Amino acid sequence: DILEEGLKTEPTYPSYQLELAYLHYNGGEGDKARKHLDVALAAWANASPEFPPAQQARQLAARLDTP
C-alpha cells in the first residue's frame, strides 16, 4: 500500500493517518480506524476550525463515537 509506505518515512503524517482511518472505517475496522484517527487528531489539535482535513477528522471521530 502506498499509504503504508508513506508511514515508514513519515509515521505521524496526519493526512496519511486520516486516509488510513477512512480505509479502516469503511472496511468495518473501527478499532484500527480510531488508532490512525487519534494520531491525525493529535497533530491537528491546534488547527483552525476551518482547516478541512481537521474538520474531516472530527467528523469521522463523531461517526466512530456514535453506535
Side-chain angles (χ1 to χ4, degrees):
D1 287 313
I2 292 172
L3 292 172
E4 295 290 344
E5 286 298 315
L7 285 180
K8 288 180 183 176
T9 57
E10 295 288 339
T12 59
Y13 189 66
S15 294
Y16 292 157
Q17 296 288 345
L18 179 58
E19 289 303 318
L20 284 167
Y22 273 118
L23 288 171
H24 288 296
Y25 174 77
N26 290 328
E29 299 176 301
D31 290 341
K32 289 182 180 180
R34 174 55 76 178
K35 175 185 153 208
H36 291 288
L37 184 59
D38 286 346
V39 175
L41 288 169
W44 290 324
N46 296 318
S48 166
E50 291 84 31
F51 183 57
Q55 288 177 339
Q56 294 168 355
R58 291 183 197 110
Q59 290 169 353
L60 181 55
R63 280 186 253 157
L64 284 168
D65 292 340
T66 303

